[in-house]
Structures are given as C-alpha cells and as structure tokens.
Amino acid sequence: MAGSRYAYTRTFELPDPLLPTTFFVIRLDGKGFHGFSKAHDFDKPNDVKALELMNMAAKRTMEGKELMGECVIGFGESDEYSFVFKRSCKLHGRRQSKLVTLVTSLFTSAYVFLWPSYFPNSPLQLDELPVFDGRIVQYSTELEVKDYLRWRQVDTHINNMYNTCFWALVLEGGMTAQEANKELSGTISSQKQELLFSRFGINYNNLPPMFRKGSVLVWEDEPTPAPIEAASEPEAVEPSSSSTSAEPSPSASPAPLLTPDGRPRRNKKLDKKTVKPKRRVIVVHEDLIGESWWEEGGRGAGILQG
C-alpha cells in the first residue's frame, strides 16, 4: 500500500531510461531452440512453417496496440527477431526493463497462441517450451541502424549456407554430424556453393529468399476502398392518362428534393465517402545491404526519419 512503512523498499528500484533521441533495437533470440526444434520435429535445414510462425508472431507484436506503432521495422531469421524503434519513441518513459520485457512477452505469447495454426498435429511439450531472451541496444545515427540490419542479413546468409551444406551432407550424403562439420571446416562461400551444386544439384541462389535473406517487416497503407458514388438520376417517364389521378402508393419512395431549377438535389454524403487509410505490417524478403532499398523509390526510403 502506498504510504505504508514498507514503501521505502521502492527506493531500491533504480531508474533505467535509455538515452533521449536515440534509435533502439530490441533483439529476441530463441533459448535452447536446438532442442526445441528437435523435440517438435522441425524440417532441416529450414522449416517453412516455423519461419512463417516467427513472422506472424513478429507481425502481431509490431501491429499490436501495446507498441502504439513505435516500431518502424523488424528483421527475422531462424529463431531470432529484431525490432527497431524510432528515435522519438517515448513508450514507457524509455525504460529499458519495461521495453525489453514487454516486447519479449508480447512476441512469446503470440508465438504460443499461433502455434496450433502452424503445427496442429504437434502440441507444445511442457519440457521443451518456446523460450526467448531479449536485449536492447541503442544507436545514434541512421547509418548505424542500417548497418545493424545489414549485419543481421549477412549473418542470415552465412548461417543458411552453412546449414544447407551441413544437412545436405548428412541427409543426402550419409555423413555423420562430425564428418559434415569436418568437411565444411575452413571452406569459403564459393566452395560451399560448388559443393551443393556438384554433389547435390542444388543452386544456392535458387533457394527461397526467406531462407537466404531473412524476413523484413515494414508498414504500408492498406488499399483505400473505392469511393461510393451517388446514384444516377432516374430517367423521365411520361405519365399515362390512367395514372395521373392515381394516389401514390404507401410504399413508394419519397420524391427527391429539387434544386431551384427543378433538378434532383445530389446527396453529397453519398457522392464520396472519405476513408482514412489504415496501416498494416507486411512481410517481405528483400536485400537490405545495397543502398537502393533505402534510397528514394525504395521500400525503406525515409523509414527511419519518423
């Protein structure tokens, strides 16, 4: 209770605000996902359903009312996801502990909630639950944020190429894990590509972009529905002699209001209904390393300037 003699214990809680006007990134990593993926029989080297589940959990995290649209871009690969917040973000007073625990719990709860949609025949096991840890890092410039995302995308490429070779050697080449690791030790990218193509007929560049480049989450405006147009004016009909003296039917529509010159008055409310576009998060698999994605005309142009 506030004002009690025990309230002094609150003074032990230290403030932990981030620096003002800095970008910050919250990165989540799966804890013990090697055992988790094995227990739930994930496909190797990449499980499409598992990656799509990560993307949808991240999408729910970004779009949720809890973050109030303050996260401007996300990037995911394997069992990790990064969320970039704009420098003007004041959510929860920019307290580190509040922010990192909020995003971690949001993502994890969304992952668990969505699990049955992607793995309906594989219930979560109590001794192998999806667990994520989180960290928060600040960056002072747009270039540093871009380079952070480039670093994560390069890491995606390196890890995926190694894992693709490793599992090809194990699953198709009949090697043990130790033999496959020894075979790949010291090899460079071009050698791994040659190994995949010459031994297994796999062109690495033809693998799905989600595997090679990771997943990028960005905001876009939803398509605006077409405006509602006013009904066209009814054609004039010559009254017949038998109907001029007839009483109007009780169910007939009321006569339209007329302008001073005798034309039907238009209902401006029906002419055009202005709808404010809503924003949504979409998932793309595009190259963040080159400058074209960030320059004018690219999807990432101005994304860090809000």
Side-chain angles (χ1 to χ4, degrees), residues 219-238:
W219 290 94
E220 74 165 14
D221 290 338
E222 291 185 356
T224 304
I228 302 174
E229 297 293 339
S232 59
E233 299 178 8
E235 296 181 1
V237 179
E238 288 291 334

Side-chain angles (χ1 to χ4, degrees), residues 15-75:
D16 59 345
L18 298 170
L19 291 171
T21 66
T22 58
F23 298 102
F24 61 90
V25 177
I26 295 177
R27 184 165 89 243
L28 310 183
D29 284 300
K31 181 70 173 176
F33 253 62
H34 177 75
F36 175 80
S37 62
K38 184 177 181 180
H40 294 91
D41 198 26
F42 281 13
D43 294 336
K44 299 296 183 182
N46 293 290
D47 190 299
V48 174
K49 293 184 297 182
L51 292 173
E52 289 177 344
L53 172 57
M54 291 285 292
N55 290 339
M56 289 304 101
K59 185 175 186 291
R60 166 59 182 88
T61 301
M62 277 185 66
E63 289 182 329
K65 62 183 179 180
E66 298 87 357
L67 298 188
M68 302 175 65
E70 295 292 288
C71 178
V72 293
I73 184 173
F75 180 81

Side-chain angles (χ1 to χ4, degrees), residues 48 77 131 148 212 215 281:
V48 174
E77 60 155 318
V131 179
Y148 169 83
R212 296 181 289 110
S215 298
V281 171

Side-chain angles (χ1 to χ4, degrees), residues 245-301:
S245 59
E247 293 292 330
S249 169
S251 61
S253 301
L257 296 175
L258 302 178
T259 60
D261 58 0
R263 293 181 300 168
R265 189 183 299 276
R266 296 176 68 87
N267 188 335
K268 293 182 179 180
K269 290 183 179 180
L270 295 179
D271 284 351
K272 186 176 181 180
K273 188 176 181 180
T274 303
V275 179
K276 185 179 180 180
K278 295 181 179 180
R279 300 175 73 217
R280 65 181 179 185
V281 171
I282 61 170
V283 182
V284 297
H285 314 288
E286 298 173 348
D287 178 43
L288 305 181
I289 299 172
E291 287 296 332
S292 60
W293 197 85
W294 303 97
E295 293 174 346
E296 185 176 355
R299 199 187 296 272

